[in-house]
Each structure stands twice: as C-alpha cells, then as structure tokens.
Amino acid sequence: MSQSSVNIEEVDVCKCGYYCRLKTLRTPLNPGRRFFGCKGSKENDGCGYFRWIDPSLENDDESSLMNRFIDGQNLIDRLKRKVKELEEERDSFKFQFNENEEKMMVLNKKLKEVKLQRDWKNVKFNRVVIVFLCLLTIKWFFNIV
C-alpha cells in the first residue's frame, strides 16, 4: 500500500456536523483505497461528503500494481496456510480431548469399583465386630446366670 498523502490523525467533519469515518474501498478500480466519508449516504439524508486519503492508482505504473497484486496474493496464501494450520491444531485437540475423555471414563469406572470394594470391606468388618459383640454379650450373660 502506498503511503498516505494526508495526515489521518485529523478527522474531517462533514457538512452534517459529524466526524467522518475512515473507510476503505474494496472495488476493482480502487482496491484498498482509503477515504473520509459522511456516516450517512445522500440517500439516507447524509451530505455525501468524502475526501480521498490515498492517491489514485491511476498514477501507479504497471509494475507497482503487479507488486501490490503479488503482495495481496502472498498475504492470501499465508492466511490460507495459517487457517490450515489452525484447523490441523483444532483436529489434534479434538483427538486428544476424545482420548482423554475415554481415559476419564475408564478411571471413573475403576474409582467406582474401588469404592465398592472399600464399602464391602467396611461391611465385612462391621459384621465381624457385631458377631464379636454378640459373642461377648452371650458369654457375659451365661457367666451371670
């Protein structure tokens, strides 16, 4: 992109009294060309004010235009590669997530089994204690009688 010919730090005020927006054209004749414009169009009761920020592309020679085109293509290619890398990274994360989810399900199942075994051991211990207390009570009863 060629350098701005105007200081864009100072925002224009249109005839409507509003600050103008800095806009960028995406048309084939003026790709990437910036301008200040009224926030409302003439059809929407705006004043239609605009002022170019970037110089016209008509003054550029063919090699300059070709370089801009190539730079744009390179940027597009880099962005496409970045998107592909991000999609591959996303797929890798999905795979890892699924693996971890399966591992977690297995661990939860083992945890339930361990809890059941612990509870069963407690039940067995409680039974032994109850039987022991019953035997002591019977012995005590017969010793008294």
Short mmCIF file of all heavy atoms in Angstrom, two decimals, residues 74-134:
data_model
loop_
_atom_site.label_atom_id
_atom_site.label_comp_id
_atom_site.label_asym_id
_atom_site.label_seq_id
_atom_site.Cartn_x
_atom_site.Cartn_y
_atom_site.Cartn_z
N ASN A 74 0.28 -13.12 -1.82
CA ASN A 74 1.12 -13.72 -0.79
C ASN A 74 0.42 -13.68 0.56
O ASN A 74 0.47 -14.64 1.33
CB ASN A 74 2.48 -13.01 -0.70
CG ASN A 74 3.37 -13.32 -1.88
OD1 ASN A 74 3.17 -14.32 -2.56
ND2 ASN A 74 4.32 -12.45 -2.15
N LEU A 75 -0.22 -12.58 0.85
CA LEU A 75 -0.96 -12.46 2.11
C LEU A 75 -2.09 -13.48 2.15
O LEU A 75 -2.29 -14.16 3.16
CB LEU A 75 -1.51 -11.04 2.27
CG LEU A 75 -2.38 -10.81 3.49
CD1 LEU A 75 -1.58 -11.04 4.77
CD2 LEU A 75 -2.95 -9.40 3.47
N ILE A 76 -2.80 -13.61 1.05
CA ILE A 76 -3.90 -14.59 0.99
C ILE A 76 -3.36 -16.00 1.19
O ILE A 76 -3.92 -16.79 1.95
CB ILE A 76 -4.66 -14.47 -0.34
CG1 ILE A 76 -5.45 -13.16 -0.37
CG2 ILE A 76 -5.59 -15.66 -0.54
CD1 ILE A 76 -6.05 -12.82 -1.72
N ASP A 77 -2.23 -16.31 0.53
CA ASP A 77 -1.64 -17.63 0.69
C ASP A 77 -1.20 -17.87 2.13
O ASP A 77 -1.41 -18.96 2.69
CB ASP A 77 -0.44 -17.80 -0.25
CG ASP A 77 -0.85 -17.87 -1.71
OD1 ASP A 77 -2.03 -18.16 -1.99
OD2 ASP A 77 0.01 -17.62 -2.59
N ARG A 78 -0.58 -16.86 2.75
CA ARG A 78 -0.17 -17.01 4.15
C ARG A 78 -1.38 -17.22 5.05
O ARG A 78 -1.35 -18.05 5.96
CB ARG A 78 0.62 -15.77 4.60
CG ARG A 78 2.04 -15.72 4.06
CD ARG A 78 2.89 -14.70 4.81
NE ARG A 78 2.32 -13.38 4.90
CZ ARG A 78 2.51 -12.38 4.03
NH1 ARG A 78 3.26 -12.57 2.96
NH2 ARG A 78 1.96 -11.20 4.22
N LEU A 79 -2.44 -16.48 4.80
CA LEU A 79 -3.65 -16.64 5.61
C LEU A 79 -4.27 -18.02 5.42
O LEU A 79 -4.73 -18.64 6.38
CB LEU A 79 -4.66 -15.54 5.29
CG LEU A 79 -4.28 -14.13 5.76
CD1 LEU A 79 -5.27 -13.12 5.22
CD2 LEU A 79 -4.19 -14.06 7.26
N LYS A 80 -4.26 -18.52 4.17
CA LYS A 80 -4.80 -19.86 3.91
C LYS A 80 -3.97 -20.91 4.65
O LYS A 80 -4.52 -21.85 5.22
CB LYS A 80 -4.80 -20.15 2.42
CG LYS A 80 -5.91 -19.45 1.67
CD LYS A 80 -5.86 -19.79 0.19
CE LYS A 80 -6.97 -19.11 -0.58
NZ LYS A 80 -6.90 -19.38 -2.02
N ARG A 81 -2.62 -20.75 4.63
CA ARG A 81 -1.77 -21.70 5.35
C ARG A 81 -2.04 -21.63 6.85
O ARG A 81 -2.09 -22.66 7.52
CB ARG A 81 -0.29 -21.41 5.06
CG ARG A 81 0.18 -21.92 3.71
CD ARG A 81 1.70 -21.92 3.60
NE ARG A 81 2.30 -20.60 3.77
CZ ARG A 81 2.52 -19.73 2.79
NH1 ARG A 81 2.18 -20.03 1.56
NH2 ARG A 81 3.07 -18.56 3.05
N LYS A 82 -2.22 -20.42 7.35
CA LYS A 82 -2.49 -20.25 8.78
C LYS A 82 -3.81 -20.91 9.16
O LYS A 82 -3.92 -21.59 10.18
CB LYS A 82 -2.50 -18.75 9.14
CG LYS A 82 -2.66 -18.49 10.60
CD LYS A 82 -1.47 -18.95 11.39
CE LYS A 82 -1.59 -18.57 12.84
NZ LYS A 82 -0.53 -19.14 13.65
N VAL A 83 -4.83 -20.73 8.31
CA VAL A 83 -6.13 -21.37 8.56
C VAL A 83 -5.98 -22.88 8.58
O VAL A 83 -6.51 -23.57 9.45
CB VAL A 83 -7.17 -20.92 7.50
CG1 VAL A 83 -8.40 -21.81 7.53
CG2 VAL A 83 -7.56 -19.47 7.71
N LYS A 84 -5.19 -23.41 7.61
CA LYS A 84 -4.98 -24.86 7.55
C LYS A 84 -4.26 -25.35 8.81
O LYS A 84 -4.63 -26.37 9.39
CB LYS A 84 -4.19 -25.22 6.30
CG LYS A 84 -4.05 -26.70 6.09
CD LYS A 84 -3.39 -27.03 4.78
CE LYS A 84 -3.30 -28.54 4.62
NZ LYS A 84 -2.69 -28.91 3.36
N GLU A 85 -3.23 -24.60 9.24
CA GLU A 85 -2.51 -24.97 10.46
C GLU A 85 -3.44 -24.97 11.67
O GLU A 85 -3.40 -25.87 12.50
CB GLU A 85 -1.34 -24.00 10.71
CG GLU A 85 -0.20 -24.13 9.75
CD GLU A 85 0.83 -23.00 9.91
OE1 GLU A 85 0.70 -22.20 10.86
OE2 GLU A 85 1.74 -22.93 9.07
N LEU A 86 -4.28 -23.94 11.76
CA LEU A 86 -5.21 -23.85 12.88
C LEU A 86 -6.24 -24.98 12.85
O LEU A 86 -6.61 -25.52 13.89
CB LEU A 86 -5.90 -22.49 12.90
CG LEU A 86 -5.00 -21.30 13.25
CD1 LEU A 86 -5.74 -19.99 13.04
CD2 LEU A 86 -4.47 -21.41 14.66
N GLU A 87 -6.69 -25.35 11.65
CA GLU A 87 -7.63 -26.46 11.54
C GLU A 87 -6.97 -27.77 11.97
O GLU A 87 -7.59 -28.58 12.65
CB GLU A 87 -8.16 -26.57 10.11
CG GLU A 87 -9.14 -25.48 9.75
CD GLU A 87 -9.54 -25.49 8.28
OE1 GLU A 87 -8.84 -26.12 7.45
OE2 GLU A 87 -10.56 -24.85 7.95
N GLU A 88 -5.70 -27.96 11.58
CA GLU A 88 -4.98 -29.18 11.98
C GLU A 88 -4.79 -29.19 13.49
O GLU A 88 -4.95 -30.24 14.14
CB GLU A 88 -3.63 -29.25 11.27
CG GLU A 88 -3.74 -29.55 9.79
CD GLU A 88 -2.41 -29.44 9.06
OE1 GLU A 88 -1.41 -29.02 9.68
OE2 GLU A 88 -2.39 -29.75 7.86
N GLU A 89 -4.47 -28.04 14.07
CA GLU A 89 -4.30 -27.95 15.51
C GLU A 89 -5.62 -28.24 16.22
O GLU A 89 -5.66 -28.96 17.22
CB GLU A 89 -3.79 -26.56 15.89
CG GLU A 89 -3.40 -26.41 17.33
CD GLU A 89 -2.80 -25.05 17.64
OE1 GLU A 89 -2.72 -24.19 16.75
OE2 GLU A 89 -2.45 -24.84 18.81
N ARG A 90 -6.73 -27.71 15.67
CA ARG A 90 -8.05 -27.98 16.24
C ARG A 90 -8.36 -29.47 16.20
O ARG A 90 -8.83 -30.05 17.18
CB ARG A 90 -9.11 -27.20 15.46
CG ARG A 90 -10.53 -27.46 15.96
CD ARG A 90 -11.59 -27.17 14.94
NE ARG A 90 -11.40 -28.03 13.79
CZ ARG A 90 -11.84 -27.73 12.57
NH1 ARG A 90 -12.47 -26.62 12.34
NH2 ARG A 90 -11.65 -28.56 11.56
N ASP A 91 -8.06 -30.11 15.06
CA ASP A 91 -8.32 -31.55 14.93
C ASP A 91 -7.48 -32.34 15.93
O ASP A 91 -7.95 -33.32 16.52
CB ASP A 91 -8.04 -32.01 13.50
CG ASP A 91 -9.03 -31.44 12.50
OD1 ASP A 91 -10.11 -30.95 12.93
OD2 ASP A 91 -8.73 -31.45 11.29
N SER A 92 -6.23 -31.91 16.13
CA SER A 92 -5.36 -32.57 17.10
C SER A 92 -5.94 -32.44 18.51
O SER A 92 -5.96 -33.40 19.28
CB SER A 92 -3.96 -31.96 17.03
OG SER A 92 -3.16 -32.43 18.07
N PHE A 93 -6.42 -31.24 18.84
CA PHE A 93 -7.03 -31.03 20.15
C PHE A 93 -8.29 -31.88 20.31
O PHE A 93 -8.55 -32.42 21.39
CB PHE A 93 -7.35 -29.56 20.39
CG PHE A 93 -6.14 -28.71 20.67
CD1 PHE A 93 -6.05 -27.43 20.15
CD2 PHE A 93 -5.11 -29.17 21.45
CE1 PHE A 93 -4.94 -26.64 20.41
CE2 PHE A 93 -3.99 -28.39 21.72
CZ PHE A 93 -3.92 -27.12 21.19
N LYS A 94 -9.08 -31.99 19.25
CA LYS A 94 -10.29 -32.82 19.32
C LYS A 94 -9.91 -34.27 19.61
O LYS A 94 -10.53 -34.94 20.44
CB LYS A 94 -11.06 -32.76 18.00
CG LYS A 94 -11.96 -31.57 17.85
CD LYS A 94 -12.74 -31.69 16.54
CE LYS A 94 -13.68 -30.55 16.33
NZ LYS A 94 -14.39 -30.67 15.05
N PHE A 95 -8.87 -34.76 18.91
CA PHE A 95 -8.42 -36.13 19.10
C PHE A 95 -7.95 -36.34 20.53
O PHE A 95 -8.32 -37.32 21.19
CB PHE A 95 -7.30 -36.45 18.10
CG PHE A 95 -6.76 -37.84 18.22
CD1 PHE A 95 -7.48 -38.93 17.75
CD2 PHE A 95 -5.53 -38.06 18.81
CE1 PHE A 95 -6.99 -40.21 17.86
CE2 PHE A 95 -5.02 -39.33 18.93
CZ PHE A 95 -5.74 -40.41 18.46
N GLN A 96 -7.12 -35.41 21.03
CA GLN A 96 -6.63 -35.51 22.41
C GLN A 96 -7.79 -35.46 23.40
O GLN A 96 -7.80 -36.19 24.39
CB GLN A 96 -5.64 -34.38 22.70
CG GLN A 96 -4.32 -34.53 22.00
CD GLN A 96 -3.41 -33.32 22.21
OE1 GLN A 96 -3.79 -32.36 22.85
NE2 GLN A 96 -2.20 -33.40 21.68
N PHE A 97 -8.74 -34.60 23.14
CA PHE A 97 -9.90 -34.49 24.02
C PHE A 97 -10.65 -35.81 24.08
O PHE A 97 -11.02 -36.29 25.16
CB PHE A 97 -10.83 -33.36 23.53
CG PHE A 97 -12.10 -33.24 24.32
CD1 PHE A 97 -12.10 -32.62 25.55
CD2 PHE A 97 -13.28 -33.77 23.83
CE1 PHE A 97 -13.26 -32.51 26.29
CE2 PHE A 97 -14.45 -33.67 24.56
CZ PHE A 97 -14.44 -33.04 25.79
N ASN A 98 -10.88 -36.42 22.91
CA ASN A 98 -11.60 -37.71 22.87
C ASN A 98 -10.82 -38.79 23.61
O ASN A 98 -11.41 -39.60 24.33
CB ASN A 98 -11.87 -38.11 21.43
CG ASN A 98 -12.93 -37.24 20.78
OD1 ASN A 98 -13.73 -36.61 21.45
ND2 ASN A 98 -12.90 -37.17 19.46
N GLU A 99 -9.48 -38.81 23.42
CA GLU A 99 -8.68 -39.80 24.13
C GLU A 99 -8.77 -39.59 25.64
O GLU A 99 -8.92 -40.55 26.39
CB GLU A 99 -7.20 -39.70 23.69
CG GLU A 99 -6.88 -40.37 22.40
CD GLU A 99 -5.39 -40.34 22.11
OE1 GLU A 99 -4.68 -39.43 22.60
OE2 GLU A 99 -4.93 -41.24 21.40
N ASN A 100 -8.65 -38.34 26.05
CA ASN A 100 -8.71 -38.04 27.49
C ASN A 100 -10.09 -38.35 28.06
O ASN A 100 -10.19 -38.79 29.21
CB ASN A 100 -8.33 -36.58 27.74
CG ASN A 100 -6.86 -36.32 27.52
OD1 ASN A 100 -6.04 -37.23 27.61
ND2 ASN A 100 -6.52 -35.09 27.22
N GLU A 101 -11.12 -38.13 27.27
CA GLU A 101 -12.47 -38.44 27.73
C GLU A 101 -12.63 -39.94 27.96
O GLU A 101 -13.21 -40.37 28.96
CB GLU A 101 -13.48 -37.93 26.70
CG GLU A 101 -14.88 -37.81 27.23
CD GLU A 101 -15.79 -37.10 26.26
OE1 GLU A 101 -15.64 -37.28 25.03
OE2 GLU A 101 -16.66 -36.37 26.73
N GLU A 102 -12.06 -40.75 27.04
CA GLU A 102 -12.12 -42.20 27.20
C GLU A 102 -11.35 -42.64 28.44
O GLU A 102 -11.81 -43.49 29.21
CB GLU A 102 -11.56 -42.88 25.96
CG GLU A 102 -12.43 -42.75 24.73
CD GLU A 102 -11.78 -43.28 23.47
OE1 GLU A 102 -10.69 -43.91 23.56
OE2 GLU A 102 -12.35 -43.06 22.39
N LYS A 103 -10.15 -42.05 28.64
CA LYS A 103 -9.35 -42.38 29.82
C LYS A 103 -10.11 -42.02 31.09
O LYS A 103 -10.07 -42.76 32.08
CB LYS A 103 -8.02 -41.63 29.79
CG LYS A 103 -7.05 -42.16 28.75
CD LYS A 103 -5.78 -41.32 28.74
CE LYS A 103 -4.83 -41.77 27.64
NZ LYS A 103 -3.62 -40.92 27.58
N MET A 104 -10.78 -40.89 31.07
CA MET A 104 -11.52 -40.45 32.25
C MET A 104 -12.67 -41.41 32.55
O MET A 104 -12.95 -41.71 33.72
CB MET A 104 -12.04 -39.03 32.04
CG MET A 104 -12.43 -38.35 33.31
SD MET A 104 -12.20 -36.61 33.15
CE MET A 104 -13.84 -36.07 33.42
N MET A 105 -13.33 -41.90 31.51
CA MET A 105 -14.42 -42.85 31.73
C MET A 105 -13.88 -44.13 32.36
O MET A 105 -14.50 -44.68 33.28
CB MET A 105 -15.13 -43.14 30.41
CG MET A 105 -15.98 -41.98 29.93
SD MET A 105 -16.75 -42.10 28.30
CE MET A 105 -17.02 -43.79 28.02
N VAL A 106 -12.73 -44.61 31.90
CA VAL A 106 -12.12 -45.81 32.46
C VAL A 106 -11.75 -45.57 33.93
O VAL A 106 -12.00 -46.41 34.80
CB VAL A 106 -10.88 -46.23 31.63
CG1 VAL A 106 -10.06 -47.29 32.34
CG2 VAL A 106 -11.31 -46.71 30.25
N LEU A 107 -11.15 -44.40 34.20
CA LEU A 107 -10.76 -44.09 35.58
C LEU A 107 -11.97 -43.96 36.50
O LEU A 107 -11.93 -44.41 37.66
CB LEU A 107 -9.94 -42.80 35.61
CG LEU A 107 -8.52 -42.91 35.05
CD1 LEU A 107 -7.86 -41.53 34.99
CD2 LEU A 107 -7.68 -43.87 35.86
N ASN A 108 -13.05 -43.38 36.01
CA ASN A 108 -14.28 -43.29 36.80
C ASN A 108 -14.83 -44.68 37.13
O ASN A 108 -15.30 -44.92 38.24
CB ASN A 108 -15.33 -42.45 36.08
CG ASN A 108 -15.12 -40.97 36.27
OD1 ASN A 108 -14.53 -40.54 37.25
ND2 ASN A 108 -15.58 -40.18 35.31
N LYS A 109 -14.76 -45.58 36.15
CA LYS A 109 -15.23 -46.95 36.37
C LYS A 109 -14.37 -47.64 37.44
O LYS A 109 -14.91 -48.28 38.35
CB LYS A 109 -15.18 -47.73 35.06
CG LYS A 109 -15.74 -49.11 35.14
CD LYS A 109 -15.74 -49.79 33.80
CE LYS A 109 -16.28 -51.19 33.91
NZ LYS A 109 -16.27 -51.89 32.62
N LYS A 110 -13.05 -47.46 37.36
CA LYS A 110 -12.16 -48.06 38.36
C LYS A 110 -12.41 -47.46 39.74
O LYS A 110 -12.39 -48.16 40.75
CB LYS A 110 -10.69 -47.84 37.97
CG LYS A 110 -10.22 -48.71 36.85
CD LYS A 110 -8.74 -48.50 36.56
CE LYS A 110 -8.30 -49.40 35.42
NZ LYS A 110 -6.87 -49.20 35.13
N LEU A 111 -12.66 -46.16 39.78
CA LEU A 111 -12.94 -45.49 41.05
C LEU A 111 -14.20 -46.07 41.69
O LEU A 111 -14.23 -46.33 42.90
CB LEU A 111 -13.09 -43.98 40.83
CG LEU A 111 -13.41 -43.15 42.06
CD1 LEU A 111 -12.26 -43.22 43.07
CD2 LEU A 111 -13.67 -41.71 41.66
N LYS A 112 -15.23 -46.30 40.90
CA LYS A 112 -16.46 -46.90 41.43
C LYS A 112 -16.19 -48.29 41.99
O LYS A 112 -16.70 -48.66 43.05
CB LYS A 112 -17.54 -46.97 40.35
CG LYS A 112 -18.15 -45.63 40.04
CD LYS A 112 -19.21 -45.75 38.95
CE LYS A 112 -19.80 -44.40 38.60
NZ LYS A 112 -20.78 -44.47 37.53
N GLU A 113 -15.36 -49.07 41.25
CA GLU A 113 -15.04 -50.42 41.72
C GLU A 113 -14.27 -50.37 43.04
O GLU A 113 -14.55 -51.14 43.97
CB GLU A 113 -14.21 -51.16 40.67
CG GLU A 113 -14.98 -51.52 39.42
CD GLU A 113 -14.09 -52.10 38.33
OE1 GLU A 113 -12.86 -52.23 38.53
OE2 GLU A 113 -14.62 -52.39 37.25
N VAL A 114 -13.32 -49.46 43.13
CA VAL A 114 -12.54 -49.33 44.37
C VAL A 114 -13.44 -48.91 45.53
O VAL A 114 -13.32 -49.43 46.64
CB VAL A 114 -11.38 -48.31 44.16
CG1 VAL A 114 -10.74 -47.91 45.48
CG2 VAL A 114 -10.34 -48.89 43.22
N LYS A 115 -14.35 -47.98 45.28
CA LYS A 115 -15.28 -47.56 46.33
C LYS A 115 -16.15 -48.73 46.78
O LYS A 115 -16.41 -48.91 47.98
CB LYS A 115 -16.16 -46.41 45.85
CG LYS A 115 -15.44 -45.08 45.82
CD LYS A 115 -16.38 -43.97 45.37
CE LYS A 115 -15.73 -42.62 45.39
NZ LYS A 115 -16.65 -41.55 44.97
N LEU A 116 -16.63 -49.52 45.82
CA LEU A 116 -17.46 -50.69 46.18
C LEU A 116 -16.66 -51.68 47.00
O LEU A 116 -17.17 -52.24 48.00
CB LEU A 116 -17.99 -51.37 44.92
CG LEU A 116 -19.17 -50.69 44.23
CD1 LEU A 116 -19.49 -51.40 42.91
CD2 LEU A 116 -20.39 -50.69 45.13
N GLN A 117 -15.41 -51.92 46.61
CA GLN A 117 -14.57 -52.85 47.38
C GLN A 117 -14.34 -52.32 48.80
O GLN A 117 -14.41 -53.07 49.77
CB GLN A 117 -13.22 -53.06 46.68
CG GLN A 117 -13.32 -53.88 45.43
CD GLN A 117 -11.98 -53.97 44.69
OE1 GLN A 117 -11.02 -53.32 45.07
NE2 GLN A 117 -11.96 -54.75 43.63
N ARG A 118 -14.06 -51.02 48.92
CA ARG A 118 -13.85 -50.42 50.23
C ARG A 118 -15.11 -50.53 51.09
O ARG A 118 -15.06 -50.90 52.26
CB ARG A 118 -13.44 -48.96 50.08
CG ARG A 118 -13.07 -48.30 51.40
CD ARG A 118 -12.93 -46.83 51.29
NE ARG A 118 -14.25 -46.28 50.97
CZ ARG A 118 -14.45 -45.15 50.33
NH1 ARG A 118 -13.45 -44.44 49.92
NH2 ARG A 118 -15.67 -44.71 50.09
N ASP A 119 -16.26 -50.24 50.46
CA ASP A 119 -17.52 -50.33 51.20
C ASP A 119 -17.79 -51.78 51.64
O ASP A 119 -18.26 -52.02 52.75
CB ASP A 119 -18.68 -49.81 50.34
CG ASP A 119 -18.62 -48.31 50.13
OD1 ASP A 119 -17.86 -47.62 50.85
OD2 ASP A 119 -19.34 -47.82 49.23
N TRP A 120 -17.48 -52.73 50.76
CA TRP A 120 -17.69 -54.14 51.10
C TRP A 120 -16.78 -54.56 52.25
O TRP A 120 -17.20 -55.28 53.15
CB TRP A 120 -17.47 -55.00 49.88
CG TRP A 120 -17.70 -56.45 50.13
CD1 TRP A 120 -16.80 -57.46 50.06
CD2 TRP A 120 -18.92 -57.07 50.56
NE1 TRP A 120 -17.36 -58.65 50.38
CE2 TRP A 120 -18.68 -58.45 50.70
CE3 TRP A 120 -20.20 -56.60 50.84
CZ2 TRP A 120 -19.64 -59.34 51.10
CZ3 TRP A 120 -21.16 -57.51 51.23
CH2 TRP A 120 -20.87 -58.85 51.36
N LYS A 121 -15.55 -54.07 52.27
CA LYS A 121 -14.64 -54.38 53.37
C LYS A 121 -15.17 -53.80 54.67
O LYS A 121 -15.07 -54.43 55.73
CB LYS A 121 -13.24 -53.82 53.08
CG LYS A 121 -12.48 -54.62 52.06
CD LYS A 121 -11.09 -54.03 51.81
CE LYS A 121 -10.37 -54.83 50.74
NZ LYS A 121 -9.05 -54.25 50.45
N ASN A 122 -15.74 -52.59 54.59
CA ASN A 122 -16.32 -51.98 55.80
C ASN A 122 -17.50 -52.80 56.30
O ASN A 122 -17.67 -52.99 57.51
CB ASN A 122 -16.77 -50.54 55.52
CG ASN A 122 -15.61 -49.57 55.45
OD1 ASN A 122 -14.54 -49.84 55.96
ND2 ASN A 122 -15.82 -48.45 54.79
N VAL A 123 -18.31 -53.29 55.36
CA VAL A 123 -19.45 -54.12 55.76
C VAL A 123 -18.95 -55.40 56.43
O VAL A 123 -19.48 -55.83 57.47
CB VAL A 123 -20.34 -54.44 54.53
CG1 VAL A 123 -21.34 -55.54 54.83
CG2 VAL A 123 -21.04 -53.18 54.04
N LYS A 124 -17.93 -56.02 55.85
CA LYS A 124 -17.37 -57.24 56.45
C LYS A 124 -16.84 -56.97 57.85
O LYS A 124 -17.07 -57.73 58.79
CB LYS A 124 -16.23 -57.78 55.57
CG LYS A 124 -16.67 -58.49 54.33
CD LYS A 124 -15.41 -59.00 53.61
CE LYS A 124 -15.76 -59.81 52.41
NZ LYS A 124 -14.54 -60.25 51.70
N PHE A 125 -16.11 -55.87 57.99
CA PHE A 125 -15.55 -55.52 59.30
C PHE A 125 -16.67 -55.28 60.31
O PHE A 125 -16.60 -55.74 61.45
CB PHE A 125 -14.66 -54.28 59.17
CG PHE A 125 -14.08 -53.83 60.47
CD1 PHE A 125 -13.03 -54.53 61.06
CD2 PHE A 125 -14.58 -52.72 61.13
CE1 PHE A 125 -12.49 -54.13 62.26
CE2 PHE A 125 -14.06 -52.31 62.34
CZ PHE A 125 -13.01 -53.01 62.91
N ASN A 126 -17.69 -54.57 59.88
CA ASN A 126 -18.83 -54.31 60.77
C ASN A 126 -19.50 -55.61 61.20
O ASN A 126 -19.92 -55.75 62.35
CB ASN A 126 -19.83 -53.38 60.11
CG ASN A 126 -19.32 -51.96 59.99
OD1 ASN A 126 -18.37 -51.58 60.68
ND2 ASN A 126 -19.92 -51.17 59.11
N ARG A 127 -19.61 -56.56 60.29
CA ARG A 127 -20.21 -57.86 60.64
C ARG A 127 -19.35 -58.58 61.68
O ARG A 127 -19.87 -59.18 62.63
CB ARG A 127 -20.35 -58.74 59.40
CG ARG A 127 -21.48 -58.35 58.51
CD ARG A 127 -21.57 -59.32 57.35
NE ARG A 127 -22.68 -58.97 56.48
CZ ARG A 127 -22.89 -59.52 55.32
NH1 ARG A 127 -22.06 -60.45 54.87
NH2 ARG A 127 -23.91 -59.17 54.59
N VAL A 128 -18.05 -58.54 61.50
CA VAL A 128 -17.14 -59.20 62.45
C VAL A 128 -17.28 -58.56 63.82
O VAL A 128 -17.35 -59.26 64.85
CB VAL A 128 -15.68 -59.13 61.94
CG1 VAL A 128 -14.70 -59.54 63.02
CG2 VAL A 128 -15.50 -59.97 60.70
N VAL A 129 -17.34 -57.23 63.85
CA VAL A 129 -17.48 -56.53 65.13
C VAL A 129 -18.81 -56.90 65.79
O VAL A 129 -18.86 -57.17 67.00
CB VAL A 129 -17.36 -55.00 64.93
CG1 VAL A 129 -17.78 -54.25 66.18
CG2 VAL A 129 -15.95 -54.63 64.51
N ILE A 130 -19.87 -56.95 65.02
CA ILE A 130 -21.19 -57.30 65.56
C ILE A 130 -21.18 -58.73 66.10
O ILE A 130 -21.69 -59.00 67.20
CB ILE A 130 -22.29 -57.09 64.50
CG1 ILE A 130 -22.48 -55.61 64.24
CG2 ILE A 130 -23.59 -57.75 64.93
CD1 ILE A 130 -23.41 -55.29 63.09
N VAL A 131 -20.61 -59.66 65.36
CA VAL A 131 -20.54 -61.06 65.82
C VAL A 131 -19.73 -61.13 67.10
O VAL A 131 -20.11 -61.82 68.07
CB VAL A 131 -19.95 -61.96 64.71
CG1 VAL A 131 -19.59 -63.33 65.25
CG2 VAL A 131 -20.92 -62.06 63.56
N PHE A 132 -18.61 -60.42 67.14
CA PHE A 132 -17.77 -60.41 68.34
C PHE A 132 -18.53 -59.86 69.54
O PHE A 132 -18.49 -60.43 70.64
CB PHE A 132 -16.50 -59.61 68.07
CG PHE A 132 -15.58 -59.54 69.23
CD1 PHE A 132 -14.83 -60.64 69.62
CD2 PHE A 132 -15.45 -58.36 69.96
CE1 PHE A 132 -13.98 -60.57 70.71
CE2 PHE A 132 -14.61 -58.29 71.04
CZ PHE A 132 -13.86 -59.39 71.43
N LEU A 133 -19.23 -58.77 69.33
CA LEU A 133 -20.01 -58.19 70.42
C LEU A 133 -21.13 -59.13 70.87
O LEU A 133 -21.43 -59.23 72.08
CB LEU A 133 -20.59 -56.83 70.01
CG LEU A 133 -19.57 -55.69 69.88
CD1 LEU A 133 -20.26 -54.44 69.32
CD2 LEU A 133 -18.93 -55.39 71.20
N CYS A 134 -21.73 -59.81 69.93
CA CYS A 134 -22.79 -60.78 70.28
C CYS A 134 -22.20 -61.92 71.13
O CYS A 134 -22.80 -62.34 72.14
CB CYS A 134 -23.44 -61.36 69.04
SG CYS A 134 -24.53 -60.19 68.21
#
